[in-house]
Amino acid sequence: MSLLVVGSVAFDALESPYGKVDRTLGGAATYFSVAASFFTHVNLVAVVGDDFKSFFWAGKYSENLNERITLATELNVFADFKPRLPEKYRASKYVFLANIAPGLQHDVLKQVTKRPKIAALDTMNYWIERTNEDLRETLRHVDILMINDIETRQLSNEHNLLRAARHIFKMGPSTLVVKRGEYGAMMVDARGVFCVPAFPLEEPHDPTGAGDCFAGGFMGYLASAGNKSDGSLRRAMVYGSVLGSFCVEKFGLERLRTLKRNEIHARARHFAKLTQFKL
Ligand code: AMP
């Protein structure tokens, strides 16, 4: 099954109470691709400069890792990137528009020849504030919106997440997946609500990329399942949480480099145990 992603491939500077790195490979599309690659082949569309003078982002986390401030966002080569999809990417059935300028996300989607089985989109405050109209236009063509709770509230102007979902459905997407950090993730669609917890970890080190790894696990699983039944979407939520939880165990992409498929499946079984109960 073909999974296409467009988004940032970046140099990141990261700082958390557990350490600091100056320039490490990051970017939403990078995290997404690595996470999804455990389930399926991934086609990545992004840009890096000749000298890898790519997108640069710097962020710093608070003591409890729950808050993050952005210290720098430099678009560099992304500022005038005009993506042109290779012929064989145009028939992609699963498309993920990772966090990047909504205009670019739309450009890519328009080049996909047949309406994909699932087109999902992530975004963030940076784009909600600066390019709201482009974002609204792009959202009209998307099935799943996958953002965090703060972004959900910002985009919908609703504090309550269920009310926010109803508002967002009017913008285009029929499914909303809200990433809630250490509180897990929630999926809302016409069938109802499904929640997964975050995997309890004693020592998370760096939350960077957790949301993108969640999306990678989610879309990677769906592409490998080949359908969007309620059961598949629920399992996708669990595999998303599994990949997000591995990501935060170490800095940047470090943990994913050594991750094995059997560890992923073992943690998914652990999730089932975590949430199982009888009435
Ligand atoms: P997350 O922690 O899931 O929000 O993702 C962090 C990644 O997103 C980092 O590797 C950054 O390079 C990338 N990123 C941060 N800000 C932006 C932005 N405005 N556009 C695209 N990618 C971004």
Side-chain angles (χ1 to χ4, degrees), residues 7-12 14 25-28 31 55-57 61 68 70 72-73 75 78 98-101 122 124 126-127 148 151 179 207-213:
S8 53
V9 167
F11 270 134
D12 287 347
L14 309 170
L25 177 64
Y31 282 103
F55 184 91
F56 174 75
W57 178 77
Y61 293 89
R68 163 168 101 184
T70 290
T73 300
L75 295 182
F78 251 117
N99 178 26
I100 193 63
D122 185 12
M124 70 184 293
Y126 187 90
W127 305 112
N148 72 28
E151 294 150 359
K179 298 171 286 185
T208 308
D212 309 309
C213 286

Side-chain angles (χ1 to χ4, degrees), residues 37-256:
S37 70
F38 290 99
F39 300 91
T40 188
H41 179 82
V42 184
N43 295 328
L44 166 65
V45 178
V47 61
V48 289
D50 284 343
D51 55 352
F52 209 83
K53 195 160 175 32
S54 188
F55 184 91
F56 174 75
W57 178 77
K60 185 176 174 180
Y61 293 89
S62 62
E63 209 52 43
N64 60 11
L65 296 182
N66 278 339
E67 276 133 50
R68 163 168 101 184
I69 49 167
T70 290
L71 301 173
T73 300
E74 296 171 15
L75 295 182
N76 295 324
V77 283
F78 251 117
D80 29 45
F81 176 44
K82 298 256 177 305
R84 189 140 33 84
L85 293 193
E87 203 50 46
K88 65 175 185 157
Y89 286 16
R90 291 176 190 245
S92 298
K93 295 224 162 45
Y94 295 84
V95 178
F96 187 69
L97 307 166
N99 178 26
I100 193 63
L104 286 182
Q105 294 175 318
H106 197 188
D107 277 355
V108 165
L109 199 52
K110 278 193 275 197
Q111 293 174 53
V112 176
T113 40
K114 254 179 66 191
R115 193 182 163 98
K117 266 193 179 166
I118 296 182
L121 179 146
D122 185 12
T123 192
M124 70 184 293
N125 58 347
Y126 187 90
W127 305 112
I128 298 173
E129 286 154 20
R130 287 170 176 75
T131 54
N132 199 276
E133 260 181 43
D134 285 357
L135 177 61
R136 294 297 183 107
E137 177 52 36
T138 310
L139 278 175
R140 291 177 47 221
H141 311 280
V142 159
D143 306 294
I144 303 181
L145 176 64
M146 213 179 282
I147 51 180
N148 72 28
D149 42 359
I150 299 166
E151 294 150 359
T152 304
R153 293 184 172 116
Q154 191 180 12
L155 179 65
S156 65
N157 274 322
E158 289 280 3
H159 185 79
N160 179 283
L161 293 177
L162 293 177
R163 285 226 301 274
R166 249 191 286 141
H167 202 101
I168 284 167
F169 295 157
K170 289 190 199 131
M171 299 179 191
S174 52
T175 302
L176 172 69
V177 174
V178 186
K179 298 171 286 185
R180 307 178 65 208
E182 66 171 323
Y183 303 111
M186 179 172 104
M187 175 170 68
V188 192
D189 63 15
R191 289 177 285 222
V193 182
F194 177 69
C195 295
V196 282
F199 191 75
L201 289 173
E202 234 173 84
E203 271 217 339
H205 276 63
D206 169 24
T208 308
D212 309 309
C213 286
F214 178 95
F218 183 98
M219 289 296 284
Y221 174 78
L222 280 182
S224 71
N227 69 71
K228 46 182 178 181
S229 67
D230 192 41
S232 291
L233 282 163
R234 285 171 182 238
R235 281 186 289 278
M237 289 285 287
V238 172
Y239 280 106
S241 306
V242 167
L243 267 297
S245 72
F246 278 119
C247 176
V248 304
E249 283 184 0
K250 289 191 179 167
F251 253 76
L253 286 157
E254 219 179 303
R255 180 63 180 96
L256 297 194

Side-chain angles (χ1 to χ4, degrees), residues 17-35:
Y18 294 93
K20 194 175 169 193
V21 280
D22 260 352
R23 269 160 80 80
T24 186
L25 177 64
T30 312
Y31 282 103
F32 177 92
S33 302
V34 176

